[in-house]
Amino acid sequence: MGSIEQIDQLETYIIDLGNEIESVKKASDYLKLIEEFQEKIAKTSDSLSQSKEQLKLYQEIMESKLELFQTTSKNIEAKQQSLEQSQFNILTSLTEMKQQQEKNEKGMISSFLEMNKVANQNQTALVEGLKRINDEQQSQFNRISKANKMFFAINTVLSVSIVGILVYLISR
């Protein structure tokens, strides 16, 4: 009977060994799965490392672009301030020029009014002078006209007298 017990015991060992083999097989399968996961994790880790490096590179690029933007923004602000100052200076100059122009216009208007007044006085004096000259010429013309009429009368009388004397002398 020892042998049946031994056989039973052997069967138990075989069953246990089968169970152990199955456990080892499962463990082997789990190890394969773990190795596959480790490979996937390694690939993912490599991808993440590359992504991390790319992100660092993108971050550096973005930081340099931000720096460039800030510099450009400062330059634009400085130019805007310069333009505002120039605009203020131009407005001040224009205001001063306008005030000066208004003064000049008032002066010119005053000068024109004074020149117009002087021109009117000169014109009045000229008209009065021309009127005096006209009156003198009219007076001289009247005197000359009277003298001409007188000489005409004298010439007529003399001519008639000469003709009368000639007629008297001829008829005699």
Side-chain angles (χ1 to χ4, degrees):
M1 296 234 178
S3 65
I4 293 183
E5 284 179 19
Q6 285 179 343
I7 291 177
D8 281 339
Q9 207 178 17
L10 278 176
E11 264 181 29
T12 308
Y13 287 138
I14 290 174
I15 291 174
D16 286 340
L17 184 63
N19 287 338
E20 287 293 322
I21 289 174
E22 277 185 39
S23 294
V24 167
K25 190 175 181 185
K26 283 182 184 179
S28 174
D29 288 341
Y30 285 135
L31 281 175
K32 283 182 185 177
L33 284 174
I34 288 172
E35 285 176 358
E36 288 175 7
F37 283 138
Q38 281 180 339
E39 285 179 27
K40 288 180 181 179
I41 289 172
K43 287 179 183 178
T44 305
S45 177
D46 287 343
S47 292
L48 288 175
S49 293
Q50 288 177 353
S51 295
K52 182 179 176 183
E53 290 174 10
Q54 286 177 344
L55 285 175
K56 283 182 182 178
L57 182 63
Y58 288 142
Q59 184 178 2
E60 289 173 5
I61 291 171
M62 293 306 284
E63 286 174 356
S64 67
K65 286 184 177 183
L66 177 63
E67 224 175 276
L68 177 64
F69 174 76
Q70 289 173 341
T71 303
T72 304
S73 178
K74 287 178 183 176
N75 289 343
I76 289 172
E77 286 176 11
K79 286 181 181 178
Q80 182 178 359
Q81 288 176 352
S82 174
L83 287 173
E84 287 173 355
Q85 183 63 38
S86 296
Q87 185 179 15
F88 176 76
N89 291 342
I90 289 170
L91 286 174
T92 303
S93 296
L94 285 175
T95 302
E96 290 173 1
M97 287 174 62
K98 183 179 179 183
Q99 290 171 351
Q100 186 65 34
Q101 185 179 9
E102 287 173 356
K103 287 179 185 176
N104 288 346
E105 285 177 359
K106 287 178 183 176
M108 289 174 68
I109 289 171
S110 176
S111 296
F112 281 133
L113 289 175
E114 188 63 33
M115 286 175 21
N116 193 22
K117 185 178 176 182
V118 169
N120 285 339
Q121 289 173 349
N122 289 343
Q123 184 180 7
T124 303
L126 181 63
V127 167
E128 288 174 1
L130 288 174
K131 190 175 180 184
R132 274 194 311 265
I133 291 171
N134 187 33
D135 290 344
E136 287 176 14
Q137 285 179 347
Q138 189 67 34
S139 172
Q140 288 175 358
F141 179 74
N142 288 339
R143 279 184 286 181
I144 291 172
S145 184
K146 284 180 186 177
N148 278 343
K149 287 178 184 176
M150 186 174 78
F151 286 126
F152 179 73
I154 292 171
N155 279 338
T156 305
V157 169
L158 286 174
S159 295
V160 169
S161 301
I162 292 176
V163 170
I165 292 176
L166 282 177
V167 168
Y168 173 74
L169 286 176
I170 292 181
S171 47
R172 227 196 235 196

